[in-house]
Every structure is written in C-alpha cells, then in structure tokens.
C-alpha cells in the first residue's frame, strides 16, 4: 500500500506588534515618496506587472476571498508579503481614514527606501522559519 502525504501548507506571516509598527512606518514613508498603492485590485494589477516590492494585507478582511489569491500570486512572483492585524491600521498608514485590505510598495528608480525595504523583507522572511 502506497503512503499518501498531505500537501504542505505554508504558514501565513502575521506580524507581531513590533514588526507591525515597523511595517506601518515604512508604508507611511512610501506614501511620502509616491511608492504606495492601496486596494486589492491595485495590488493584483501591480503584481501582474511585476513592480511590487512588498505586499501588506489586513488579517481581519471579511470575506477572506477578497485577498485569498494575493499570497498565492506573491509566492509565484517571489514577492514578500505579510499580514497586519487590522484594516483600520493599514488604512491609517496609507494616509486615509477608511479601512484598506491590501497595500503594496512598488519599485521606483532611485528609490530612497531601497535599504529599508530589503531589511523589511528579511524580517518578514524570518516569520516563515
């Protein structure tokens, strides 16, 4: 009899309070440099274009189907992604007063945030270990 293995499910990286603060600060800086795109449709469009550096999702999104395929696309495109606790905190970091389910930092030539983005990717990748 052949043994069948269950598919391995990759854990979702949920940021702790300290990392979430750093992520939201980075999003505020990206907003100042015009590198921030917000909304699930905008994130998917930029993932397809291949210009996403980092994707941030809200963990309290309801229904979850709105953002369910974004992590899959991120893994296909080798883009780091992370979940923060609430849509409201993500919205405030994006500079608006309403909830946001997803945001991305896009590539920009001569970006002043390059080193901070690389550091953040390393911190997020450690969540998978």
């Amino acid at each position: 009899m052949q043994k069948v293995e269950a598919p391995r499910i990759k854990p979702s990286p949920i940021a702790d309070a300290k990392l979430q603060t750093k992520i939201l600060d980075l999003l505020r800086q990206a907003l100042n440099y015009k590198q921030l795109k917000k909304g699930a449709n905008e994130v998917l469009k930029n993932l397809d274009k291949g210009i996403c550096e980092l994707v941030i999702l809200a963990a309290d999104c309801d229904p979850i189907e709105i953002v369910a395929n974004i992590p899959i696309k991120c893994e296909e495109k080798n883009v780091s992604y992370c979940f923060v606790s609430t849509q409201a905190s993500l919205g405030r970091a994006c500079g608006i007063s309403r909830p946001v389910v997803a945001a991305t930092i896009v590539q920009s030539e001569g970006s002043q945030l390059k080193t901070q983005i690389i550091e953040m990717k390393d911190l997020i990748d450690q969540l998978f270990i």
Side-chain angles (χ1 to χ4, degrees):
M1 183 169 224
Q2 194 174 28
K3 190 176 182 180
V4 178
E5 286 187 35
R8 292 188 58 166
I9 298 172
K10 191 173 182 180
S12 294
I14 298 176
D16 60 357
K18 187 177 178 182
L19 180 58
Q20 180 170 322
T21 303
K22 289 181 180 182
I23 289 170
L24 297 177
D25 286 342
L26 180 62
L27 289 177
R28 287 182 194 100
Q29 291 175 17
L31 178 65
N32 292 337
Y33 290 115
K34 309 284 190 256
Q35 286 183 256
L36 182 68
K37 302 292 181 188
K38 46 197 169 286
N41 290 335
E42 198 69 30
V43 170
L44 286 169
K45 183 171 60 172
N46 288 316
L47 275 169
D48 288 337
K49 288 181 185 177
I51 60 171
C52 289
E53 293 263 354
L54 181 65
V55 174
I56 309 300
L57 305 163
D60 67 342
C61 182
D62 187 41
I64 194 66
E65 289 81 13
I66 294 172
V67 295
N69 57 345
I70 294 176
I72 296 166
K73 278 222 186 239
C74 286
E75 289 178 15
E76 288 173 1
K77 302 285 185 174
N78 200 22
V79 174
S80 296
Y81 68 95
C82 185
F83 286 89
V84 294
S85 61
T86 65
Q87 297 176 36
S89 61
L90 188 54
R92 282 191 304 272
C94 292
I96 58 176
S97 60
R98 59 186 170 84
V100 173
V101 296
T104 184
I105 298 175
V106 295
Q107 296 172 353
S108 177
E109 202 168 306
S111 172
Q112 298 177 356
L113 298 175
K114 194 70 171 169
T115 56
Q116 292 170 313
I117 292 170
I118 292 170
E119 289 173 7
M120 194 61 60
K121 285 180 181 180
D122 292 340
L123 290 172
I124 290 171
D125 290 341
Q126 289 176 4
L127 293 174
F128 284 113
I129 298 174

